[in-house]
Amino acid sequence: MSRSIKELSVHYDPINESNTFTSGDIVEGRVILEVTKEIKVDSFFVKLTGDAHVSWTEGSGDDERSYSDHERYFKLKQYFIQESSKRGESEKNTTLVTGETYGPVIKPGSHVFPFRFQLPQQNMPPSFNGFHGWVRYVLTVKLSRPWKTSSTASAELTFVLRNYGTNDHLLQPQSGTQDKKMKLFGSGKMSMAVTTDKTGYMQGETIRVFVDIDNASSRDVKLKYSLKQTQTFIAGGSTNREHKDIVKETRDSIPSKQKSKFIVDMIVPRDLTVTIENCRIIKVQYELKVYLDVSFASDPEVRFPVVILPLEQQCPPWQGPPGGFQPYPPPQPSMVPYPPGELPPPPAGLYPNLYDPAVLPHPGAVGEVYPNPNAFQPGFHLAPSAPVYDPNQSTKESSPNVPY
């Protein structure tokens, strides 16, 4: 940063305790500029952008090939100082927010430049940082001066999904069965019936699974289960998938010729990335797998898709299976026996659509769906000139700046 610019920073006001934003929210804040001497400015603006990006390399040497793709959801820009020759001009793929324009000369001292944006009413993916890509919503301020290197600063917002529609399918339990007949190194057969209490879970919630095992074989088996995350990156006609185990555990053995019933409880980490299905180049999905570990043989397994939702979008607790099934006892350890009874019917469909396209469009080309940048709440007016910054004035600051 230039010696004449002592501070250039951008700050926004949190609108909730979790310091998150979603579609349609107002992002309000200020740019603080402190200069040690009078400077002349060509251009001075703050912008808010939403982007997704993926990139990776495959192979090596002569066979090495790189893949990348980018998707922009919006670009909102407000000028504090604009070059006189460009005033009134539109900018490609940019929504300009109107406001008072300050003079091209900034005097010594600390100054505050207020800004205000409204996030588009689009179905945009949540903030994300993964193996080969990211989704970011970033405030960036840029100050350009004649014959000088431009000065910039940025702050990243945390954007979360807004769950449209009733999404009743997320409350439905899932059921599956698997049988295995022993052929080598044993005889008889084993069967397993698995039911989840629902399909969608919010961060920090407990996934409850009911497991009914009939080991009529001559072999002892072990119950195992896992929750796996799959990140999918798409670019240039190629797909790159990375997997990550969120939960992976081994539980009690089921001896030969015995039956066992269990409740398995898995706590979803509160900071776990939510399911992402509304991004063209990035997908984040989860799979629950319950299986029996059989030595020297293939393992019978049951798999279910699981949808992870933000904390603000809690699914109500499951009301229990039909048919007069007796209530399960409250969970104490992570796996306890449960009373006998009938299992509920399996739900229809896998990986249901989380978003109703009739309510909001799928994110796509820039400039198709934007709110009116001037449709702000009455009574809001930018100051005609940058006021002197009072360091004793209490302001809410954003999280630390991040690279853009």
Side-chain angles (χ1 to χ4, degrees):
M1 191 173 294
S2 171
R3 294 180 180 178
S4 58
I5 300 178
K6 186 175 180 180
E7 179 184 2
L8 177 63
S9 58
V10 57
H11 308 264
Y12 64 86
D13 297 329
I15 61 173
N16 52 43
E17 292 183 359
S18 58
N19 194 20
T20 58
F21 294 84
T22 191
S23 301
D25 282 346
I26 299 296
V27 181
E28 199 169 17
R30 64 209 61 81
V31 172
I32 298 177
L33 173 63
E34 183 177 358
V35 295
T36 58
K37 64 180 182 179
E38 184 176 283
I39 62 172
K40 185 176 181 180
V41 178
D42 281 340
S43 176
F44 185 27
F45 64 83
V46 60
K47 66 179 179 179
L48 176 58
T49 54
D51 299 87
H53 181 80
V54 298
S55 63
W56 74 90
T57 301
E58 296 179 359
S60 60
D62 295 338
D63 296 328
E64 184 176 282
R65 184 172 180 181
S66 296
Y67 299 88
S68 66
D69 202 349
H70 192 95
E71 186 172 50
R72 167 150 284 178
Y73 304 110
F74 66 87
K75 180 180 179 182
L76 308 173
K77 181 186 285 188
Q78 178 184 321
Y79 277 98
F80 302 126
I81 300 172
Q82 189 175 16
E83 294 179 60
S84 56
S85 60
K86 295 184 178 180
R87 289 178 185 172
E89 294 182 4
S90 61
E91 296 186 23
K92 185 179 179 181
N93 297 332
T94 303
T95 298
L96 295 177
V97 177
T98 58
E100 296 291 340
T101 301
Y102 304 98
V105 176
I106 297 180
K107 298 183 179 299
S110 296
H111 308 278
V112 172
F113 297 83
F115 63 84
R116 182 181 173 97
F117 296 118
Q118 184 174 14
L119 289 167
Q121 290 281 5
Q122 290 179 244
N123 180 16
M124 300 176 291
S127 298
F128 169 73
N129 189 36
F131 288 101
H132 305 294
W134 46 257
V135 179
R136 293 176 184 167
Y137 298 85
V138 183
L139 281 165
T140 304
V141 58
K142 184 176 181 180
L143 175 66
S144 300
R145 297 186 291 156
W147 312 107
K148 300 286 186 180
T149 302
S150 297
S151 300
T152 62
S154 62
E156 186 170 355
L157 307 180
T158 299
F159 184 87
V160 297
L161 293 171
R162 172 174 285 167
N163 201 9
Y164 293 92
T166 57
N167 288 316
D168 289 338
H169 52 271
L170 298 180
L171 303 179
Q172 297 300 316
Q174 303 183 83
S175 296
T177 60
Q178 187 63 263
D179 297 325
K180 179 179 178 61
K181 186 175 182 179
M182 300 300 299
K183 297 180 179 180
L184 299 175
F185 307 107
S187 60
K189 70 174 185 177
M190 59 190 71
S191 63
M192 176 175 60
V194 183
T195 300
T196 63
D197 58 341
K198 55 186 177 180
T199 302
Y201 301 86
M202 73 172 185
Q203 296 161 318
E205 199 173 1
T206 297
I207 299 174
R208 170 159 281 196
V209 185
F210 309 99
V211 186
D212 189 343
I213 301 169
D214 183 0
N215 182 13
S217 73
S218 60
R219 302 278 302 277
D220 294 349
V221 296
K222 288 184 178 181
L223 175 64
K224 292 186 176 183
Y225 56 90
S226 66
L227 177 65
K228 178 177 290 186
Q229 178 195 78
T230 299
Q231 299 181 13
T232 304
F233 306 92
I234 305 166
S238 183
T239 299
N240 189 323
R241 288 186 175 87
E242 298 284 353
H243 304 282
K244 180 180 179 181
D245 287 323
I246 308 303
V247 177
K248 188 174 184 179
E249 296 187 13
T250 300
R251 291 305 185 188
D252 297 350
S253 294
I254 298 90
S256 171
K257 309 301 182 182
Q258 288 195 14
K259 298 180 180 180
S260 297
K261 295 176 181 284
F262 301 98
I263 290 179
V264 174
D265 286 326
M266 286 177 278
I267 299 177
V268 177
R270 294 180 65 88
D271 59 350
L272 185 63
T273 300
V274 300
T275 297
I276 300 178
E277 296 176 340
N278 61 334
C279 180
R280 179 178 60 86
I281 58 178
I282 296 175
K283 308 293 181 185
V284 177
Q285 296 172 317
Y286 293 90
E287 182 183 70
L288 169 66
K289 183 173 76 170
V290 180
Y291 58 107
L292 299 178
D293 185 9
V294 185
S295 301
F296 308 109
S298 59
D299 298 334
E301 60 183 36
V302 176
R303 299 171 180 258
F304 298 122
V306 171
V307 176
I308 303 300
L309 300 168
L311 281 170
E312 291 79 5
Q313 298 169 15
Q314 180 178 9
C315 287
W318 186 38
Q319 299 302 313
F325 192 81
Q326 294 299 317
Y328 292 101
Q332 298 297 331
S334 60
M335 185 175 69
V336 296
Y338 70 84
E342 299 177 359
L343 293 172
L350 297 179
Y351 283 119
N353 181 16
L354 294 179
Y355 315 101
D356 183 358
V359 178
L360 289 179
H362 189 279
V366 175
E368 292 182 358
V369 183
Y370 283 119
N372 180 358
N374 298 314
F376 296 136
Q377 297 177 358
F380 176 81
H381 301 285
L382 292 177
S385 60
V388 175
Y389 175 58
D390 181 0
N392 296 320
Q393 182 180 359
S394 174
T395 59
K396 298 178 181 178
E397 297 188 356
S398 70
S399 54
N401 293 344
V402 296
Y404 173 64

